[in-house]
């Protein structure tokens, strides 16, 4: 296995030397572009719906989310209170006292206090740390750039469809996180290994589909590694460096990339425990800062909120806005930032698998908060600010898209990208907010890289073993890619990375459909344990 690992590294290292000569990125682009296009064309293969081409992967995600919402009887809404209380640690005691009847119990039906004490609950992080680690990968540039482009293209009505997508995604996240915990493995050193690779292999084996499960697991591991190096790393460092260079008028992002790599390295060397400790501080801070600024702008413009809400509501239910909203949110927003909340991608289940619990569904229910915070709250705040400020200041015309450059043109003809558009909207209400936005972008990128490094190394170790060499080699490569991403503009590499992330959907969703009955049993078991009137 180590020989195979060294072979892979020997093939990758020559490619990495272009960091020393930045102009070679154009050669890489030319060589890599056909391959990236081929992979992207398969993953994003379009299906025509009412005359509009929609990538099949988006359809799979939406159908899956709708199915799980109905199958679990709208658990995304009915169990939201349980999710919040579990994340706060209200039910942690049941992980130390078994509430289930012990075989041979002479007094069955007793309460929790007569049950056996359970020592050494398996896991590395708390419910809250697991949630913030997963959120740190999803709360990012999709909330700032993707939403801005989606609203600009789809109009104000796109906000409604974004909220709906967030609610449906909560059900998918519940399923994959529950399975992540249920089928996780514990290493000799006590470290947790979990995620789609493991529930595809072990779960499908229980359904007499062992061979099929192994193939899906290997495919997923390959995709998650590719996604971690690209969309979860290079794209993040590239966008953070771009915003940093814009603010300070710099030409090169190399030094910024080196500094960012050092900071990322300090954290990821400590594994999921250190990542959890960092993200539980950064994610709430990011959320409070961004939502706080959004609420400030909304309060400053209370008199036009009714008109803005009317625009959003009316815009969601005419044919043009429905089509535009779906294209804007599902294609531009989700595709550009690797699906705003990653529900259905399966990556978050890797972080949630490390939680300290003996009830898999406890973390599945907590995980459902992710899309609610990421999409329903933060993305909606971004959308509201853009709609309100545009209504007040007429910053741009909706659907005024320069398709060749994938940017929006404002009233003066200036091109605005996603981050630029959000910056202009906030700046129009809060002077010099672009400085704060730069900090937010860097923090978003930093936290996203932390979690994706953990996702990638889990796929890496699944393929190459859990040795020290595998651990060090992956982390070294990951940090090198941080510098490369900040220093270069490799469009096709980023396109390939996005395709790899979305390719994770196909093996993952298959597993979720086949294993959904097991999740339903786990949910019922957990709700019984906490004394909640569960689903039948």
């Amino acid at each position: 296995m180590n020989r195979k690992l060294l072979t892979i590294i020997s093939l990758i290292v020559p490619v990495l030397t272009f960091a020393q000569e930045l102009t070679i990125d154009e050669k890489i682009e030319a060589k890599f572009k056909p391959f990236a296009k081929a992979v992207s064309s398969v993953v994003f293969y379009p299906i025509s719906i009412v005359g509009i081409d929609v990538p099949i992967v988006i359809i799979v995600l939406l159908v899956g989310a709708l199915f799980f919402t109905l199958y679990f009887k709208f658990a995304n809404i009915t169990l939201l209170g349980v999710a919040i209380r579990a994340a706060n640690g209200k039910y942690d005691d049941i992980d130390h006292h078994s509430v289930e009847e012990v075989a041979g119990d002479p007094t069955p039906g007793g309460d929790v206090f007569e049950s056996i004490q359970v020592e050494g609950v398996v896991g590395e992080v708390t419910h809250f740390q697991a949630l913030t680690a997963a959120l740190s990968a999803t709360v990012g540039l999709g909330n700032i750039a993707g939403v801005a482009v989606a609203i600009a293209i789809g109009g104000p009505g796109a906000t409604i469809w974004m909220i709906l997508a967030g609610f449906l995604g909560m059900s998918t996240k519940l399923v994959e996180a529950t399975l992540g915990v249920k089928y996780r493995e514990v290493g000799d050193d006590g470290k947790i290994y979990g995620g789609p690779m493991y529930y595809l292999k072990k779960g499908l084996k229980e359904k007499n589909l062992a061979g099929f499960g192994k193939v899906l697991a290997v495919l997923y591991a390959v995709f998650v590694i590719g996604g971690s190096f690209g969309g979860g790393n290079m794209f993040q460092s590239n966008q953070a460096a771009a915003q940093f260079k814009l603010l300070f008028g710099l030409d090169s992002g190399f030094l910024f990339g080196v500094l960012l790599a050092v900071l990322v390295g300090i954290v990821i060397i400590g594994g999921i425990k250190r990542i959890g400790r960092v993200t539980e501080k950064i994610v709430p801070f990011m959320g409070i800062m961004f939502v706080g600024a959004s609420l400030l702008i909304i309060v400053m413009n209370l008199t036009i909120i009714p008109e803005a809400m009317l625009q959003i509501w009316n815009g969601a239910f005419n044919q043009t806005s429905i089509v535009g909203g779906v294209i804007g949110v599902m294609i531009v927003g989700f595709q550009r930032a690797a699906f705003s909340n990653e529900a259905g991608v399966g990556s978050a289940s890797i972080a949630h698998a490390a939680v300290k619990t003996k009830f898999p569904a406890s973390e599945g229910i907590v995980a459902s908060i992710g899309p609610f915070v990421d999409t329903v709250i933060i993305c909606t705040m971004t959308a509201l600010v853009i709609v309100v400020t545009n209504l007040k200041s007429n910053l741009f015309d909706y659907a005024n898209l320069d398709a060749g450059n994938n940017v929006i043109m404002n009233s003066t003809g200036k091109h605005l990208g996603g981050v630029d558009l959000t910056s202009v909207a906030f700046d129009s209400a809060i002077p010099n907010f672009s400085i704060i936005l730069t900090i937010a972008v860097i923090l978003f990128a930093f936290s996203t890289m932390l979690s994706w490094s953990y996702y990638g190394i889990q796929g890496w170790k699944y393929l190459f073993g859990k040795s020290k060499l595998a651990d060090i080699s992956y982390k070294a490569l990951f940090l090198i890619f941080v510098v490369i991403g900040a220093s270069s503009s490799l469009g096709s590499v980023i396109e390939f990375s996005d395709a790899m992330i979305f390719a994770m959907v196909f093996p993952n969703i298959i597993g979720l459909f086949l294993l959904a009955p097991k999740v339903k049993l786990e949910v019922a078991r957990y709700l019984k344990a906490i004394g909640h009137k569960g689903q039948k």
Side-chain angles (χ1 to χ4, degrees), residues 66-74 516-520 535:
L66 181 60
F67 169 78
F68 295 127
T69 297
L70 297 175
Y71 185 76
F72 288 94
K73 301 178 181 178
F74 295 91
K518 293 184 179 294
V519 176
K520 178 169 279 192
Q535 300 173 337

Side-chain angles (χ1 to χ4, degrees), residues 119-269:
E119 301 293 345
V121 176
V122 172
E124 297 186 72
V125 295
T126 66
H127 285 295
F128 185 71
Q129 289 175 331
L131 176 63
T132 55
L135 274 173
S136 70
T138 61
V139 177
L141 295 172
N143 304 85
I144 297 177
V147 172
V149 175
I151 298 301
I153 297 173
T159 307
I160 296 293
W161 301 105
M162 180 170 54
I163 293 172
L164 177 61
F167 271 116
L168 293 177
M170 293 171 68
S171 301
T172 308
K173 195 69 69 98
L174 183 153
V175 178
E176 56 193 15
T178 299
L179 292 173
V181 177
K182 181 175 176 62
Y183 292 104
R184 64 185 177 181
E185 293 182 357
V186 184
D188 295 336
D189 55 359
K191 291 184 177 180
I192 301 297
Y193 301 93
M197 298 83 67
Y198 295 91
Y199 60 70
L200 288 171
K201 178 183 176 181
K202 297 166 68 175
L204 295 186
K205 181 179 180 181
E206 292 179 356
K207 300 182 76 69
N208 297 318
L209 296 170
F212 184 53
K214 287 181 180 179
V215 171
L216 292 182
V218 169
L219 285 175
Y220 190 92
V222 171
F223 295 152
V224 76
I225 293 170
S228 72
F229 284 145
N233 183 344
M234 286 170 46
F235 176 73
Q236 304 298 326
S237 63
N238 181 275
Q239 292 297 293
Q243 191 72 7
F244 186 82
K245 288 187 294 182
L246 181 65
L247 182 64
F248 293 100
L250 302 177
D251 294 326
S252 173
F254 180 76
L255 291 179
F256 175 82
V258 172
L259 176 61
L260 189 59
V262 171
L263 294 176
V264 171
I266 291 172
V267 179
I268 69 174
I269 287 174

Side-chain angles (χ1 to χ4, degrees), residues 43-158:
V43 175
F44 298 114
Y45 182 82
I47 292 180
S48 181
I49 299 178
V50 295
I52 300 296
D53 287 341
V54 181
I56 188 172
V57 67
I58 302 299
I59 297 173
V60 170
L61 288 170
L62 287 175
V63 170
L66 181 60
F67 169 78
F68 295 127
T69 297
L70 297 175
Y71 185 76
F72 288 94
K73 301 178 181 178
F74 295 91
N76 50 344
I77 298 174
T78 59
L79 297 182
L80 182 57
V82 174
I84 294 172
R85 290 191 292 272
N88 287 332
K90 180 177 176 59
Y91 306 121
D92 284 358
D93 282 350
I94 68 169
D95 281 321
H96 300 284
H97 295 85
S98 174
V99 299
E100 298 173 314
E101 294 173 3
V102 179
D105 188 347
T107 57
D111 61 26
V112 65
F113 300 105
E114 70 169 20
S115 302
I116 293 178
Q117 178 80 15
V118 180
E119 301 293 345
V121 176
V122 172
E124 297 186 72
V125 295
T126 66
H127 285 295
F128 185 71
Q129 289 175 331
L131 176 63
T132 55
L135 274 173
S136 70
T138 61
V139 177
L141 295 172
N143 304 85
I144 297 177
V147 172
V149 175
I151 298 301
I153 297 173

